[in-house]
Amino acid sequence: MASAKPAESLTVPLLEEEPSSLLKSLYYGHVEEDLAFPYPEIPADVKETVAAFSDAYREFDAANVDSEKIDREHFFPREVIAAMGDLGVMGMTIPEAYGGSGFSSAAYCKMMELIGPLDAAASIIVGGHQSIGLKPLILFGSDAQKRKWLPDLAAGKLVAAFALTEPESGSDAASLKTTAVYDAKTDEYVLNGTKQWISNGGFARFFSVFARVPSDEKDKHREICCFAVVTAPDGTLPGLVRGPEEKKLGLCGSSTTQIIFENCRIPAANLIGEKGHGFKIAVETLNTGRTSLGAGAVGGSKAMIKLAVEHATQRKQFKTRIADFEMIRHKITRMTAKTYALEAMVYLTTGLIDRGVPDYSLEGACCKVFGTESLWENINDALQIAGGNGFMNEYPYGRALRDSRINMIFEGTNEILRLLLVLSGMKELGDHLKEVQGALKKPLENRGILTEYAHKRMKGVITSDKLTRVHPVLRAEADLFSKYAGVFANAAETILRKHGKKVVDREYQQERLADVIIELYAQLATLSRVTSAIEKKGEEKAKGEIEIARWFCHESKHRIVAALKALERNRDAETTSISERVYEAGGYPYDLWE
Ligand SMILES: Cc1cc2nc3c(=O)[nH]c(=O)nc-3n(C[C@H](O)[C@H](O)[C@H](O)COP(=O)(O)OP(=O)(O)OC[C@H]3O[C@@H](n4cnc5c(N)ncnc54)[C@H](O)[C@@H]3O)c2cc1C
């Protein structure tokens, strides 16, 4: 892939000290401004490299990827996958030392922005391979394992898949049942079990498989291990059976199959990472993959805005361009502002990843949830603007809806990610609260060693840190952010104190808190991005972006206020009893005619 040779600065210098997580800090009213400001700069040589590779991919796509045919025939030609390997698409994230291009997270995400809207099935092949399939090997593999498999994975000679889900184990991934029993005589593991809905399952030759090594371990998470399962060049491996292709609502050209293990023997040397660390490996792999799903949503949203503008400016009704009707303007502005905020979040997050910030799990989850839901709404807005045409299969909206719907389900459903956003933050908050409780017992002795949070907490109510690095022109928005970040921190603490460990069952409240932290991250990323734009271009040239930031932060504030109010005043008890009656009736119990 000569044109896509990585530039020096694709590798960003790592931070000397490990700062904590940007979003976890918000739980105790602290804003790690150094993580959010300045907005990550994409160096000119990286832009050039990615632009050249984008051109090469667009050309390749036009010549080789017949997207309509792929969708119609539910088949992605295997020779096109091989050609994608030749182009270098399958090795973007693989370090140069192992034959890949060593793209930074930002560069990879920019490519995923492009690939998704051109053909969603292609993006699943590339993403299933790189975002998750081979990621355990990159993150946790030994040098010998990397040397053995990464060059072929980079060249696309091996396509990777990530095999975690099982028929009985979806969101509750730790309950997986596939076993890997060690056979000391042959120094092999023997795999048995069924993996479900595995992307690239029909043709992958390298599987990251999560299986349980039975033991006396009390913590059953600690039984889970990650294994590289590699087939022969013809795709076979004794004991590995590929199920038939699933018939899906969308992403029809992508391959999704069961992978069944029946006494499948693999060398013990294929264990990836430490024994018993499989669950951690799965979680960390998915954490890195989620940002690129957000990037795909940026690309899809931009494509929808383009279509919506084309139609709205050409179509006339009542002798007027429909673009001039205020309800259409509102949709266009809403789509644009959400896309701007999402793009800001995605590339703030890739900036954290590329700087070596160790914990970006919550930021990645925000990109995935906000991105996939914004894309869905943006497609819906674009379809509405297209009117009846939007409903016709000759237009791209229906397919976009079908293809994008899965985004809210896989790589952690958006419900599970909302739980992650709150419970991980609360875990850290709980640790800080323990410190406060301990300190209160001996306040004088502990004064010197308290964290900033404990100091603040002992003084009374938590106030969030002021944002000091937002451009003065956005002072009002920055102050609103700080105000609601403070309210959020207090609300999270109140809920944690009230429910203690039982907070895990209080999902109505968790959903509201998650929605607030997603909005806060979107605001912070937007404010940081626009501040950089003003500093670079000056206020006058950044006028459009300032307006978007104001518009987005204002709308976002209303969503935050509604969620925060509902934490205190809600109809949760009725929500439970209404749903209970419906469950008991087995459906709608109030038919007017019965
Ligand atoms: C096209 C496709 C491709 C896929 N690719 C892969 C792949 O490559 N590798 C792989 O390992 N897996 C893959 N999956 C599986 C995917 O990750 C799972 O479908 C997903 O994790 C959800 O699991 P589930 O379908 O069993 O749903 P369930 O876990 O049964 O969930 C059903 C519903 O209940 C909700 N729910 C569950 N628990 C809770 C809770 N505690 N609180 C609130 N709501 C809850 C969920 O959010 C969801 O709405 C793929 C799936 C599809 C459809």
Side-chain angles (χ1 to χ4, degrees):
M1 187 182 72
S3 59
K5 201 87 189 113
E8 283 293 297
S9 46
L10 278 170
T11 320
V12 183
L14 299 187
L15 289 174
E16 279 172 17
E17 280 179 26
E18 282 194 1
S20 68
S21 144
L22 178 56
L23 289 184
K24 285 181 184 167
S25 310
L26 285 188
Y27 275 86
Y28 38 96
H30 179 57
V31 185
E32 289 264 8
E33 274 198 295
D34 282 348
L35 294 183
F37 296 87
Y39 192 79
E41 180 83 26
I42 314 278
D45 54 349
V46 176
K47 281 190 182 165
E48 258 174 49
T49 305
V50 173
F53 195 34
S54 298
D55 288 346
Y57 187 80
R58 260 190 223 98
E59 227 174 84
F60 171 85
D61 175 84
N64 298 285
V65 184
D66 185 343
S67 191
E68 271 179 32
K69 187 166 180 242
I70 286 168
D71 190 54
R72 199 172 53 245
E73 296 183 357
H74 294 199
F75 184 76
F76 199 99
R78 304 299 184 245
E79 65 279 8
V80 179
I81 302 174
M84 281 159 80
D86 295 340
L87 188 68
V89 183
M90 306 303 264
M92 289 186 282
T93 59
I94 295 175
E96 280 183 280
Y98 301 104
S101 301
F103 270 22
S104 64
S105 178
Y108 176 62
C109 279
K110 186 64 189 163
M111 286 307 302
M112 293 310 279
E113 239 194 72
L114 170 79
I115 296 172
L118 287 175
D119 183 71
S123 81
I124 290 297
I125 293 168
V126 177
H129 173 75
Q130 274 170 104
S131 299
I132 51 176
L134 57 77
K135 205 75 185 194
L137 180 58
I138 293 193
L139 295 178
F140 297 94
S142 67
D143 182 53
Q145 289 173 329
K146 289 179 184 176
R147 274 190 283 112
K148 187 168 181 190
W149 294 307
L150 282 178
D152 280 351
L153 286 160
K157 287 182 191 153
L158 288 178
V159 175
F162 179 82
L164 176 66
T165 306
E166 299 181 359
E168 299 290 312
S169 150
S171 299
D172 183 10
S175 67
L176 63 84
K177 292 198 175 75
T178 296
T179 53
V181 176
Y182 182 62
D183 181 349
K185 274 187 243 144
T186 56
D187 195 26
E188 288 173 322
Y189 282 97
V190 185
L191 295 181
N192 277 291
T194 299
K195 294 293 175 182
Q196 171 108 316
W197 299 326
I198 304 308
S199 300
N200 295 346
F203 49 80
R205 286 192 45 221
F206 179 98
F207 296 88
S208 292
V209 177
F210 296 86
R212 192 176 289 288
V213 177
S215 72
D216 299 333
E217 188 73 64
K218 273 203 188 113
D219 177 0
K220 290 295 166 194
H221 281 56
R222 302 276 303 171
E223 286 186 346
I224 300 172
C225 298
C226 177
F227 298 96
V229 176
V230 188
T231 74
D234 66 357
T236 63
L237 180 71
L240 184 152
V241 180
R242 296 173 202 260
E245 287 293 342
E246 300 287 351
K247 294 183 175 61
K248 305 190 291 284
L249 171 70
L251 298 177
C252 295
S254 73
S255 165
T256 313
T257 69
Q258 280 196 338
I259 299 295
I260 303 146
F261 298 105
E262 294 168 338
N263 292 323
C264 179
R265 290 181 164 268
I266 54 159
N270 285 19
L271 176 74
I272 297 183
E274 282 179 53
K275 203 171 156 199
H277 283 207
F279 191 67
K280 177 178 178 242
I281 295 175
V283 167
E284 292 210 9
T285 298
L286 291 168
N287 281 345
T288 65
R290 284 182 192 126
T291 313
S292 58
L293 267 184
V298 173
S301 294
K302 288 177 183 172
M304 284 299 132
I305 293 169
K306 192 167 190 312
L307 283 172
V309 169
E310 272 166 18
H311 185 80
T313 50
Q314 281 160 23
R315 174 76 172 165
K316 281 191 175 171
Q317 288 293 283
F318 307 100
K319 297 191 179 117
T320 311
R321 293 186 327 166
I322 63 165
D324 295 326
F325 296 127
E326 289 187 352
M327 280 193 241
I328 302 293
R329 282 190 191 283
H330 185 210
K331 288 183 187 43
I332 296 284
T333 298
R334 181 166 66 197
M335 293 166 80
T336 307
K338 266 190 289 194
T339 304
Y340 186 93
L342 172 62
E343 195 177 32
M345 284 162 101
V346 166
Y347 292 100
L348 180 58
T349 309
T350 59
L352 298 176
I353 300 171
D354 292 334
R355 282 164 72 187
V357 172
D359 186 352
Y360 48 85
S361 54
L362 300 199
E363 292 76 8
C366 284
C367 292
K368 198 268 190 178
V369 175
F370 186 82
T372 58
E373 292 175 6
S374 295
L375 175 60
W376 179 253
E377 290 156 9
N378 288 340
I379 298 168
N380 191 42
D381 274 346
L383 189 154
Q384 188 69 15
I385 290 171
N389 284 339
F391 200 66
M392 300 299 145
N393 272 341
E394 67 205 86
Y395 289 83
Y397 309 99
R399 180 170 173 201
L401 280 177
R402 287 193 289 110
D403 285 344
S404 70
R405 186 60 186 83
I406 186 60
N407 291 335
M408 292 182 270
I409 297 171
F410 62 15
E411 297 204 23
T413 68
N414 286 11
E415 286 81 9
I416 294 297
L417 293 184
R418 283 187 161 87
L419 301 185
L420 171 90
L421 278 165
V422 175
L423 295 179
S424 308
M426 281 199 170
K427 185 179 174 300
E428 215 154 282
L429 175 60
D431 293 343
H432 280 76
L433 280 173
K434 270 186 216 143
E435 187 196 12
V436 178
Q437 278 157 3
L440 283 172
K441 285 184 195 147
K442 294 179 182 171
L444 292 177
E445 284 168 43
N446 286 311
R447 184 163 288 165
I449 56 157
L450 286 181
T451 58
E452 189 191 344
Y453 172 79
H455 271 298
K456 276 192 197 173
R457 197 69 201 88
M458 287 175 77
K459 279 189 212 152
V461 86
I462 287 294
T463 49
S464 173
D465 296 335
K466 288 261 176 225
L467 290 182
T468 60
R469 294 167 69 175
V470 173
H471 192 276
V473 75
L474 292 167
R475 188 70 265 153
E477 286 70 25
D479 287 346
L480 275 178
F481 169 89
S482 303
K483 175 179 165 186
Y484 287 108
V487 181
F488 167 80
N490 282 291
E493 191 194 306
T494 306
I495 286 166
L496 183 59
R497 280 180 186 277
K498 184 170 171 197
H499 300 291
K501 279 187 186 161
K502 290 196 174 139
V503 74
V504 292
D505 299 324
R506 303 277 78 84
E507 287 197 5
Y508 298 134
Q509 300 292 53
Q510 288 184 56
E511 185 172 24
R512 294 174 183 124
L513 286 173
D515 287 344
V516 174
I517 201 158
I518 293 167
E519 293 291 345
L520 288 173
Y521 189 44
Q523 287 193 18
L524 186 61
T526 302
L527 291 171
S528 170
R529 179 178 173 187
V530 180
T531 295
S532 280
I534 301 169
E535 282 160 5
K536 250 187 273 163
K537 307 179 201 172
E539 218 175 301
E540 186 52 33
K541 285 201 177 132
K543 211 164 125 192
E545 291 179 70
I546 294 169
E547 227 167 56
I548 284 191
R550 288 192 176 135
W551 195 95
F552 180 80
C553 290
H554 176 81
E555 294 281 308
S556 167
K557 183 196 89 176
H558 287 300
R559 293 190 288 268
I560 288 178
V561 169
L564 288 171
K565 270 192 186 154
L567 285 170
E568 290 184 1
R569 298 184 53 163
N570 54 57
R571 295 273 172 196
D572 288 350
E574 287 92 333
T575 308
T576 299
S577 63
I578 291 169
S579 61
E580 201 50 50
R581 280 192 202 97
V582 179
Y583 293 157
E584 277 165 21
Y588 181 68
Y590 307 110
D591 194 318
L592 185 68
W593 289 67
E594 270 176 15

